[in-house]
Amino acid sequence: MMPAMPATSAGQDVARRLMGDGYVVVTGMLTSSGAQAARADLDRVLRTTRTGRNSFEGFDTQRIYALATDPLLLDVLDRVLGHYQLSAPVGICIGPGETAQILHRDDAIYPVPEPHPPLVVNTMWPLDEFTAENGATRFVPGSHQWEPGRRPGPDDPVETAVMSPGSALFYLGSLWHGGGANRTARPRLGVILEYAAGWLRQQENHCLAVPRDIARQLPERLQELLGYNIYPPFVGYVDGSHPRRVLSSDSETR
């Protein structure tokens, strides 16, 4: 098992490890019953999801989205990204026989010259046991600090995020990583919650993907994470107003 920190750790300590190593595993983020409930919630969605499509749709995974506002997670994001938003929540089910994903960096989708401050922070939440045999996430430690243009080579060490449900892997978007091969007879299920700096375009347009009638019922902080927010001083306004105010007033006029 990789060295891990408990969920009782201070946010500043988790953020320090994340920035130093590029990743950190935090145990005890979910109770056993909480992890089972989240898995059941996601299973229900995946049963109606065609192969190859693994995004959450229509806000049908209430428990999974609730993970997005975990207090320790938000504390770490406050320290690493400052102003941020939920970019892409993705359920990943790696089936038996699936080959290893190519190593990649999640922040590479943004055309920002390197080196740059942290743009993306990801969290991987296992809902099954993650093992080296069933496709646990692989990553190259320290690769977030590589010089621009460097790519993983055969001599670079690759570690595997062996974890149990209830834990979470925090990792920077600049860390080279990828899903592993599943050499077992059972699928491996996990959830990725990706956050990006508030001035970047989100991977998934939540203001369209999540119906407004549902968005209005959500906690204020979750509304902000979905995109109903302002990046200081005024990026993201609607007719000169905060988008969350517009969301609320739209409900009142109905």
Side-chain angles (χ1 to χ4, degrees):
M1 296 284 288
M2 297 183 300
M5 302 181 70
T8 53
S9 300
Q12 62 183 10
D13 295 333
V14 176
R16 186 180 301 113
R17 177 84 69 85
L18 175 62
M19 292 296 292
D21 296 342
Y23 72 95
V24 59
V25 174
V26 180
T27 59
M29 295 287 288
L30 276 176
T31 63
S32 177
S33 60
Q36 291 174 4
R39 194 190 198 293
D41 207 10
L42 186 54
D43 269 341
R44 176 174 52 81
V45 175
L46 291 177
R47 283 196 295 270
T48 60
T49 303
R50 59 187 181 274
T51 303
R53 182 69 178 272
N54 54 24
S55 294
F56 295 86
E57 297 176 342
F59 216 81
D60 286 332
T61 50
Q62 299 285 358
R63 292 184 182 87
I64 302 299
Y65 275 84
L67 301 179
T69 55
D70 177 87
L72 176 60
L73 171 57
L74 295 185
D75 189 3
V76 173
L77 293 171
D78 286 343
R79 298 172 188 277
V80 176
L81 293 179
H83 293 277
Y84 52 89
Q85 57 197 326
L86 183 62
S87 179
V90 182
I92 299 205
C93 185
I94 297 182
E98 184 63 72
T99 57
Q101 184 184 34
I102 188 172
L103 295 176
H104 61 282
R105 294 182 298 113
D106 288 330
D107 64 7
I109 65 170
Y110 296 112
V112 179
E114 300 178 67
H116 52 66
L119 300 177
V120 172
V121 172
N122 267 314
T123 55
M124 168 65 82
W125 302 74
L127 298 180
D128 289 315
E129 290 288 337
F130 273 26
T131 70
E133 290 73 36
N134 73 359
T137 304
R138 302 168 303 130
F139 61 92
V140 183
S143 56
H144 65 300
Q145 296 177 334
W146 285 358
E147 64 274 12
R150 180 178 171 183
R151 303 179 64 87
D155 295 330
D156 290 311
V158 178
E159 293 193 14
T160 303
V162 175
M163 299 185 292
S164 297
S167 300
L169 170 68
F170 292 61
Y171 57 102
L172 296 177
S174 51
L175 188 78
W176 285 87
H177 70 283
N182 189 344
R183 296 183 291 273
T184 72
R186 300 187 59 177
R188 185 230 75 180
L189 183 62
V191 171
I192 291 178
L193 297 177
E194 178 177 306
Y195 300 81
W199 53 273
L200 290 169
R201 182 73 183 268
Q202 296 160 290
Q203 285 199 49
E204 183 169 5
N205 190 329
H206 303 298
C207 291
L208 292 178
V210 180
R212 285 193 178 186
D213 287 345
I214 293 177
R216 293 187 194 100
Q217 302 171 28
L218 302 176
E220 183 177 295
R221 188 67 185 97
L222 187 50
Q223 291 175 344
E224 293 175 344
L225 289 173
L226 291 176
Y228 294 95
N229 204 3
I230 293 289
Y231 180 83
F234 47 69
V235 175
Y237 72 86
V238 180
D239 292 332
S241 297
H242 194 289
R244 199 177 61 248
R245 180 179 300 175
V246 176
L247 180 68
S248 175
S249 63
D250 184 31
S251 173
E252 294 170 357
T253 59
R254 289 192 161 198

